Amino acid sequence: MNLFEFCYGIIHWLVDLVNHLWYWLGDVLPWWFGDFFDAVGDFAASQGHLSVMTIFLEVVIVVIIALINVLNFIWIFRKFMGRMFDFYGPYYVGYGIGGWLQNLADGIKLFVKEIIVPAKADKMGYLLAPIIYIGSSILILATIPFSENFGVSTNESGTYVPAGALFALAAFAIAPFSILLAGWASNNKYTLIGGMRSAAQMMSYEIPLLMTVASVFLLAGSFGFVDIVDAQHDIWFAIPLFIGFLIFLVCLAAEVEIIPFDLPEAEAELVEGWTTEYGGMRFGLFYFTTTIRSYAGGALATALFLGGWHGPALIPDEIWFLIKAYIVYTVFQWMTWSLPRVRVDQMLGIGWKRLLPLAVINLMIAVALKSMGWF
Amino acid sequence: MAGGEEVTLDWEMFVFLFLSAATLLSAIYVIRAREIVHSVVGLATCFIAIAALYIMLSAEFVAIVQILVYVGAVVVVILFGIMLTRREIMESEKR
């Protein structure tokens, strides 16, 4: 049973339950009410309505799981920073469980803050940019399956929609647009510079990122997550494409703006980068979404290079997937708290002069492996 | 969905009408907007709606490449072009 069938069962049962009451109501009420009630009930029980509602339920389940993981990620981020800098990190809120509730406390604090729009800001861009950023980031999550049976992107016959991995990268690529818009619409020098830097960084690191992913697609012979993971049944792609894996991690770090590459929000130079003018829950959502992108990045690295949900059968597939994603995220945090921030010219130099030729070499290795018939 | 002259309002029809309305309205907004960055927002909306229309035609790959190339690159390049040209962004008093 996969997630689609599970949700379909729940929705079908619910609609049946409600329809019993509904038809009974239609019988009780006089004259033309009856026909109207019957029409609405038939519509609710129709195949199209059931499928759409099933997909809504799937989306809700997957997003809730992702948000719980993101809370864990922020907690790991804080605890790990504490370990690296020799302090405890969150401690008192949620005393027994290592300060895990600190995130919820911060979330409540951000919720009750006043929402301010700067007077000189461009209203439309200011309000639209967070929506695009958050929406496109959560869209990434919809494409990533945790196992063959657990993922949103299935259709009625249970097969995965083709090109899921490419779709995740396409959703990643929408973000520079919203960041640039947010930076411009806030009407502030620092946000504009931060938005410019961020967009330049994301666009230049997307090229090596997509080229390494192209080598994975080449070896797997497919754009879909399930086929890519199945192709790694014997050997993880991180081993033959070791260079590609390193390039992928570096590019991902630049895409999700964590510290060696966080110059869009370099707090010493630009106050808080392109999020300077956003306050309250809007800032909270930006912060949250950055972590969602880290989570999606870890999941992408897992699925494309680290064998996805394959592992010894002691642990369920979904848990394997999450363990690997958490390990990738912890490596990111390790990198974050050990390395200094690069300069803008260094950042672009690394992207165009180092990573791009390496990505081409990686692609050549992949072509050689494929043409020798090893994959 | 039903072919021929009979037009039924099922889900596919509804989604198609919504997407075509979004495409047309955002395309009109591109040329009607006073602020040029708002035009770019309309352009991005137009591209995304067209990508969704491609998905409805079950051409997923074209849709994904549409988003990847047009929204991810072309719109951002246009935005760069707008923002790097000389404009008084700090005074938006003229509205």
Side-chain angles (χ1 to χ4, degrees), chain A residues 43 48-49 120 122 124 128 163 166-167 169-170 173 177 180-181 184 187-189 192 196 199-200 203 223, chain B residues 11 29 35 37-38 41 44 60-61 64 67-68 71-73 75-76 79-80 83-84 87 89-90 92-93 95:
Chain A
F43 170 74
H49 180 261
K120 295 269 184 76
D122 179 74
M124 177 188 163
L128 206 57
L166 202 57
F167 189 83
L169 292 165
F177 166 59
L180 211 46
L181 191 64
W184 176 81
N187 207 351
N188 180 331
K189 275 177 212 149
L192 187 62
M196 284 287 185
M203 285 195 68
F223 290 128
Chain B
W11 281 94
Y29 186 73
E35 194 80 45
V37 175
H38 292 178
V41 174
E60 289 95 358
F61 188 78
I64 290 164
I67 291 179
L68 202 59
V71 184
V75 164
V76 177
L79 269 182
F80 264 119
M83 289 179 188
L84 290 178
R87 261 185 88 249
I89 70 147
M90 288 302 156
S92 43
E93 243 59 56
R95 272 168 291 187

Side-chain angles (χ1 to χ4, degrees), chain A residues 260-337:
Chain A
F261 298 103
D262 84 327
L263 19 114
E265 43 186 272
E267 63 268 17
E269 318 158 22
L270 316 168
V271 186
E272 188 54 43
W274 50 277
T275 54
T276 302
E277 294 288 339
Y278 284 88
M281 200 54 210
R282 286 210 188 97
F283 173 74
L285 282 174
F286 271 137
Y287 187 78
F288 209 68
T289 310
T290 310
T291 315
I292 286 181
R293 291 170 77 81
S294 304
Y295 164 65
L300 274 180
T302 304
L304 296 179
F305 286 98
L306 295 180
W309 47 83
H310 288 316
L314 292 173
I315 307 176
D317 288 352
E318 292 83 4
I319 307 294
W320 266 120
F321 192 88
L322 282 179
I323 287 174
K324 289 175 184 173
Y326 274 71
I327 288 173
V328 173
Y329 183 73
T330 314
V331 170
F332 273 169
Q333 290 309 319
W334 183 21
M335 197 160 84
T336 297
W337 302 120

Side-chain angles (χ1 to χ4, degrees), chain A residues 128-139:
Chain A
L128 206 57
I131 297 173
I132 299 172
Y133 187 62
I134 294 159
S136 67
S137 301
I138 290 181
L139 190 62

Side-chain angles (χ1 to χ4, degrees), chain B residues 7-8 23-24 28-29 33-34 37-38 61 63 65-66 85-86 93-95:
Chain B
V7 175
T8 53
T23 311
L24 291 176
I28 292 171
Y29 186 73
R34 303 298 291 269
V37 175
H38 292 178
F61 188 78
V65 171
Q66 166 95 9
T85 49
R86 198 183 144 277
E93 243 59 56
K94 62 182 180 303
R95 272 168 291 187

